[in-house]
Amino acid sequence: MTIKVLIVDDQMMVREGFSVLLNAMDGIEVVGEAVDGREAIAKVAALRPDVVLMDIRMPVMNGLEATREIVASDTDAKVLVLTTFDLDEYVYQALRAGASGFLLKDASARQLAEGVRVVASGEALLAPTVTKRLILEFSKLSTPPKPADPAGIGELTERETEVLVLIAQGLSNAEIADRLIVAESTIKTHVSRILVKLGLRDRTQAAVFAYETRLVTPA
């Protein structure tokens, strides 16, 4: 199936550059562009993209506000945040708002396409390198973590709690399966149950939840 992408950025050169790169990739089609968050919300409703490449700093409505509204709306679109700096303070807030991951604007064509495919498949772009470091840094710098929610955490089995901790550490399903010596399909089942029990959208929100409830603390 072709992955439909909406590009949201107030800079025309960025929109056109990403559009050319993605349209050249098999199985990916750019179905529209938007210059600010408000236009993005309207185009998500009209075009029903699978993935929204979302800039953060824009006029009229920024990407953070737009991400919140898109995630809360009746859409299956996944938001992939675009940023110039890998420690942009707004990126952590966007992840908390429901973005499925982030990419740097200087990403290669291969990285851009892979990021779109990962997010479209329902996974979160939660690499154990830059994204993990960003979550760790901004769990320190943002408002103090909320106390653990006994009702939420208590819903998880011991194994599910263990899997959640490993997700927060940036491990993929395959890496978690190797660590726990089980089949990868078993881990996928655990992840699905964790998301349902905690009312979370994807792995990124699960990782943020683990830090904010102090299940995992920054090293």
Side-chain angles (χ1 to χ4, degrees):
M1 293 179 60
T2 299
I3 301 169
K4 299 184 294 183
V5 178
L6 174 70
I7 299 174
V8 186
D9 197 292
D10 61 334
Q11 297 183 42
M12 181 175 67
M13 289 183 65
V14 172
R15 296 195 309 273
E16 291 183 348
F18 282 156
S19 182
V20 169
L21 290 174
L22 289 175
N23 278 326
M25 299 290 175
D26 291 338
I28 299 177
E29 177 189 3
V30 176
V31 294
E33 299 177 6
V35 300
D36 58 57
R38 192 170 302 283
E39 185 179 9
I41 292 169
K43 290 205 170 180
V44 165
L47 301 173
R48 312 299 287 185
D50 301 302
V51 176
V52 180
L53 289 182
M54 179 75 75
D55 188 25
I56 292 292
R57 304 175 187 224
M58 298 180 291
V60 184
M61 177 185 281
N62 65 41
L64 183 59
E65 296 174 77
T67 296
R68 285 197 189 100
E69 291 205 24
I70 289 170
V71 170
S73 66
D74 181 25
T75 177
D76 292 326
K78 306 294 193 305
V79 177
L80 189 53
V81 172
L82 297 170
T83 181
T84 305
F85 307 105
D86 63 353
L87 287 179
D88 186 329
E89 63 177 304
Y90 292 108
V91 174
Y92 178 69
Q93 295 179 48
L95 295 178
R96 292 177 66 186
S100 294
F102 85 99
L103 281 173
L104 297 180
K105 286 188 176 180
D106 63 358
S108 67
R110 181 188 60 79
Q111 290 171 326
L112 181 63
E114 179 62 19
V116 167
R117 292 188 179 107
V118 166
V119 170
S121 72
E123 293 290 328
L125 199 61
L126 189 61
T129 52
V130 180
T131 307
K132 180 187 173 185
R133 176 163 60 91
L134 187 144
I135 289 177
L136 290 173
E137 287 299 319
F138 287 99
S139 62
K140 298 176 190 176
L141 297 177
S142 63
T143 54
K146 304 170 185 176
D149 174 9
I153 296 293
E155 291 290 321
L156 303 181
T157 65
E158 183 177 347
R159 178 45 62 93
E160 288 166 352
T161 302
E162 191 174 8
V163 171
L164 177 56
V165 168
L166 294 175
I167 289 173
Q169 292 174 354
L171 275 66
S172 68
N173 284 349
E175 291 168 334
I176 296 173
D178 287 342
R179 178 77 62 90
L180 300 181
I181 317 177
V182 297
E184 186 174 349
S185 59
T186 300
I187 299 303
K188 289 181 179 179
T189 299
H190 285 315
V191 172
S192 296
R193 288 176 177 167
I194 289 168
L195 298 181
V196 170
K197 288 181 178 181
L198 298 179
L200 302 173
R201 182 180 174 94
D202 57 29
R203 295 170 69 94
T204 301
Q205 284 199 327
V208 171
F209 175 90
Y211 283 106
E212 291 192 329
T213 58
R214 301 180 185 177
L215 183 64
V216 177
T217 55

